[in-house]
Amino acid sequence: MAKVVILSGAGISAESGISTFRDSGGLWEEYNIDEICTAGCLDWNYDQTIEFYDKRRLDIKDKLPNKAHIQIAALKEKYPDDIAIITQNVDDLFEKAGVDEVLHLHGFLREIRCMECNYLEDIGYTKLKDNWEDCPMCHNKLRPNVVFFYERAPKYEDMFLEMDDCEMLVVIGTSGNVINTDMFLTSKWSKSTVKYSILNNLEPSVAINDKLYSKVLYKKASVAIEEIVEDIENFLNVT
């Protein structure tokens, strides 16, 4: 497992023009979130849910990685075995920046999977509705490979495994409302080996106790990234 874990949220992609359901305006205001992002919605609102994620997939097609993605990608290439990149985001900006190994905790927007046999396919930025009738393996319905609210997120198990050996934790662009990153820095996380931690957000969040972190940077990820990269390299070269 890697010594350094970089855990990112929506804030790192915001500078590339990708919005979340917490933002006002745009695609998210065209739909009722409870009807297209909640467990069970595919059972009673399948067509509209598929339509929404088809639009989201098309929306990320032209979005480009920003300075933070690019510098993290370069760092991962330089220290492939020492750095793990984990993201709550379903976009492909890290992949566009050149990262081959990204742990997507909440799924990957370019992928679809079968609701029955879990057949998985990367369809890029195409529409599921227009190009796929059913699963090519078992002929059941297909869905976006994205974790809806109240659905189980199986990749969390992989995140906890990474954290078992983590010595430096870098948190970028997350409010802490979905994943309580503080837990990795407290005694409640019995296996934690974190020696140094960095929190980078635009502003304080009521869900995060910033006093737990070794360094706190309240600024855009693209502005903070050079200092973060320098700290990571210094940490890796000393330990």
Side-chain angles (χ1 to χ4, degrees):
M1 295 295 176
K3 287 184 178 181
V4 179
V5 172
I6 300 174
L7 174 60
S8 68
I12 198 170
S13 295
E15 293 182 67
S16 293
I18 295 179
S19 61
T20 74
F21 70 94
R22 291 186 176 88
D23 296 324
S24 60
L27 182 58
W28 290 94
E29 288 199 347
E30 297 178 23
Y31 297 84
N32 182 332
I33 293 173
D34 292 334
E35 296 178 355
I36 45 87
C37 297
T38 305
C41 64
L42 288 164
D43 295 330
W44 58 272
N45 195 28
Y46 183 84
D47 288 341
Q48 189 179 51
T49 302
I50 297 303
E51 176 186 87
F52 173 74
Y53 283 94
D54 279 350
K55 288 181 179 179
R56 286 195 68 191
R57 198 175 300 112
L58 183 61
D59 182 60
I60 68 170
K61 180 179 181 180
D62 297 323
K63 299 297 190 297
L64 299 175
N66 57 58
K67 185 178 179 180
H69 295 101
I70 292 169
Q71 292 210 18
I72 290 173
L75 199 63
K76 173 66 174 175
E77 184 177 11
K78 187 175 181 179
Y79 303 98
D81 298 326
D82 294 320
I83 296 174
I85 299 174
I86 303 176
T87 186
Q88 299 174 69
N89 303 332
V90 297
D91 63 61
D92 61 350
L93 294 183
F94 277 119
E95 284 80 4
K96 286 179 178 177
V99 183
D100 293 326
E101 297 178 13
V102 183
L103 178 56
H104 285 272
L105 296 175
H106 299 144
F108 192 45
L109 197 52
R110 288 188 346 212
E111 293 176 341
I112 58 172
R113 63 178 169 88
C114 178
M115 294 174 64
E116 185 66 29
C117 72
N118 286 325
Y119 167 83
L120 194 67
E121 179 87 13
D122 185 336
I123 63 171
Y125 311 103
T126 60
K127 290 184 176 181
L128 168 58
K129 186 175 182 180
D130 295 343
N131 295 282
W132 297 74
E133 291 185 3
D134 53 30
C135 173
M137 301 299 292
C138 70
H139 304 294
N140 280 285
K141 285 185 176 181
L142 294 162
R143 60 164 287 173
N145 187 30
V146 174
V147 178
F148 295 161
F149 297 125
Y150 308 114
E151 282 188 330
R152 179 175 173 269
K155 295 297 183 181
Y156 277 34
E157 296 174 12
D158 296 322
M159 174 181 65
F160 292 138
L161 286 174
E162 286 289 355
M163 288 307 306
D164 282 348
D165 297 314
C166 174
E167 296 181 19
M168 180 179 183
L169 174 63
V170 180
V171 177
I172 303 177
T174 178
S175 65
N177 287 301
V178 177
I179 296 177
N180 177 15
T181 58
D182 293 356
M183 67 180 169
F184 299 123
L185 305 175
T186 64
S187 58
K188 292 179 181 179
W189 186 253
S190 60
K191 294 184 179 180
S192 178
T193 55
V194 177
K195 301 173 183 176
Y196 191 79
S197 56
I198 299 175
L199 172 66
N200 169 219
N201 273 330
L202 268 179
E203 57 189 11
S205 168
V206 295
I208 295 178
N209 179 4
D210 59 13
K211 292 181 176 59
L212 294 173
Y213 297 79
S214 307
K215 176 180 284 190
V216 178
L217 301 170
Y218 286 130
K219 57 184 74 174
K220 290 182 178 181
S222 62
V223 175
I225 194 61
E226 289 187 8
E227 184 174 350
I228 292 172
V229 168
E230 182 179 1
D231 284 353
I232 292 174
E233 292 214 75
N234 288 338
F235 184 86
L236 289 174
N237 291 328
V238 169
T239 56

